[in-house]
Amino acid sequence: TYTFFPENRNFVNPAAAGTAEYGSVTGMFRKQWAGVEGTPTSGGITFDMPIAKNMGVGALVYQDNIGVTSQTNIGGMYSYHLQMARDHYLAFGVGAGMDLVNTKYDRLVYWDANDQVLAEDYVNVVVPHIGFGVQYFWKDLYVGLSIPRMISVNSDQFNSINFSDAPSLVTHYYLTGGYHFKFRNDLSFKPSLLMKYTNNAPLQADINLTLYFKEMLGFGITYKSLGFLSTFMTYNIKDIIVIGYGFDFSMNALQGYSKGTHEAMLQWRFNTKSGGGSSRL
C-alpha cells in the first residue's frame, strides 16, 4: 500500500471523494524493492472535489506493473454526505470502473514450448468492477470502511486470469481512520491507520504517524505489518501544493537483496478557502 494513503483516501474508499473543503489532484509513484529485477512499480493520478452542498465526485487512473504483467485501473466515484449533527457527517460512496490486465508471455523464459498457457505472445483482459464505501467524518476525525471491488464482472476472460499475477483484482476490505491533533504551539500530530483484509491472506495493517510544524513541514514514520518501516516527509506550499517523499526499509528476508522502496507524491489543491485547506483531515 502507499505510504501517503492519508493524503489520497479516495484511492481505497469512494466515500472519501469530496469530503475535504477543497478539490485536489494527486499524483503518486512507487518503486518497490529497488535493485531486484521485475519488482512492482505503480503510480497514477486521482482527482476529487466537493460538489453542491453535500456531494463529492472523483476519478482515478492507476497502473501496477510486476514482472510481465501490467494492470491499469480506470474508475470514477460519487459520494453523498449525510449530515447527522453539526459538523458530523456520514458519507456513502460508490465507484465503478475497469481493470485492463496485460500479460506479455513472450518476455518469459520457459522450458515447455508446447505449454498451451504460453501459446500466445500476450493476453489482454478487461474486468469491469463496482465498489462501495462508507465514511464518518467530523472536523479532524475520519473512520471509513470500503470494498473497492465488491462486484467484478465474471466472464470467460475473467476466469482465465492468474490471480497470482494480478492479486489486486481479488476483493479487498479496507478499514481506514485518522485524527489530526492540533496544539496551541506550531506543532500538530496526525496518526492514521489502514487495515486490509483479503480471503486466504493474513490481515495487513499500516500505522502512520506524522508530526507537522506550522502545518507546512511534515515528518513521519509508517509501520507496515508485512515487515517494512517507512520514513517520509511532506512540504505544504500555502495549502495549494503538497510534495512528499518516502523511503521503505525492509525488515524481513528481503533486507539482504532490496535497496529499499521509493515513493513520491505531488498534490494540487484548488478552490481552497482563504488560500488554505480544510479543517478536516
Side-chain angles (χ1 to χ4, degrees):
T1 55
Y2 287 97
T3 299
F4 293 108
F5 69 86
E7 308 295 337
N8 201 19
R9 297 193 307 277
N10 61 316
F11 179 70
V12 297
N13 190 346
T19 55
E21 294 176 354
Y22 53 83
S24 66
V25 178
T26 306
M28 299 182 71
F29 174 79
R30 182 175 175 84
K31 172 61 179 176
Q32 197 161 327
W33 309 329
V36 180
E37 186 177 355
T39 55
T41 61
S42 55
I45 298 176
T46 59
F47 154 80
D48 82 300
M49 65 178 293
I51 59 173
K53 183 180 179 180
N54 53 358
M55 293 182 286
V57 294
L60 60 84
V61 178
Y62 266 77
Q63 185 175 76
D64 295 304
N65 298 280
I66 178 170
V68 298
T69 298
S70 66
Q71 176 187 333
T72 303
N73 177 15
I74 303 172
M77 59 203 74
Y78 166 82
S79 66
Y80 179 81
H81 314 152
L82 178 65
Q83 186 170 7
M84 303 171 62
R86 183 177 181 179
D87 295 328
H88 292 259
Y89 294 87
L90 188 63
F92 300 90
V94 60
M98 63 181 65
D99 296 288
L100 312 176
V101 184
N102 174 265
T103 302
K104 298 179 179 179
Y105 291 119
D106 57 346
R107 294 186 178 181
L108 293 173
V109 177
Y110 50 90
W111 295 103
D112 186 0
N114 297 317
D115 191 329
Q116 294 300 309
V117 175
L118 306 174
E120 300 179 79
D121 289 340
Y122 63 90
V123 174
N124 292 313
V125 179
V126 179
V127 184
H129 63 262
I130 299 174
F132 176 79
V134 60
Q135 178 173 282
Y136 164 76
F137 60 100
W138 169 71
K139 293 184 178 179
D140 297 316
L141 169 72
Y142 75 92
V143 179
L145 181 66
S146 62
I147 312 173
R149 287 177 177 79
M150 185 168 58
I151 300 175
S152 293
V153 174
N154 195 353
S155 66
D156 292 338
Q157 279 192 322
F158 182 67
N159 289 329
S160 70
I161 292 176
N162 183 348
F163 285 102
S164 63
D165 292 336
S168 58
L169 290 176
V170 181
T171 300
H172 291 73
Y173 304 86
Y174 290 92
L175 174 66
T176 54
Y179 187 79
H180 197 168
F181 295 91
K182 297 179 180 179
F183 308 117
R184 291 185 177 180
N185 53 25
D186 291 328
L187 298 177
S188 66
F189 177 63
K190 184 195 293 185
S192 305
L193 171 70
L194 184 150
M195 298 183 69
K196 179 174 69 174
Y197 173 74
T198 304
N199 290 334
N200 302 317
L203 180 68
Q204 299 178 35
D206 291 6
I207 302 172
N208 185 306
L209 305 174
T210 310
L211 181 66
Y212 292 98
F213 175 70
K214 292 186 176 181
E215 304 297 334
M216 181 177 65
L217 281 174
F219 300 92
I221 187 170
T222 299
Y223 171 74
K224 303 183 179 184
S225 61
L226 292 182
F228 301 96
L229 187 68
S230 176
T231 59
F232 61 91
M233 67 176 298
T234 61
Y235 181 58
N236 187 325
I237 305 173
K238 297 183 178 180
D239 250 336
I240 297 176
I241 300 294
V242 182
I243 303 170
Y245 171 76
F247 183 81
D248 287 13
F249 300 88
S250 300
M251 299 187 298
N252 50 31
L254 285 169
Q255 189 173 17
Y257 305 93
S258 169
K259 296 180 181 179
T261 295
H262 303 271
E263 183 174 323
M265 178 198 70
L266 177 63
Q267 183 177 78
W268 170 51
R269 298 175 178 177
F270 56 92
N271 291 341
T272 59
K273 291 187 175 181
S274 302
S278 165
S279 62
R280 303 173 189 166
L281 276 168

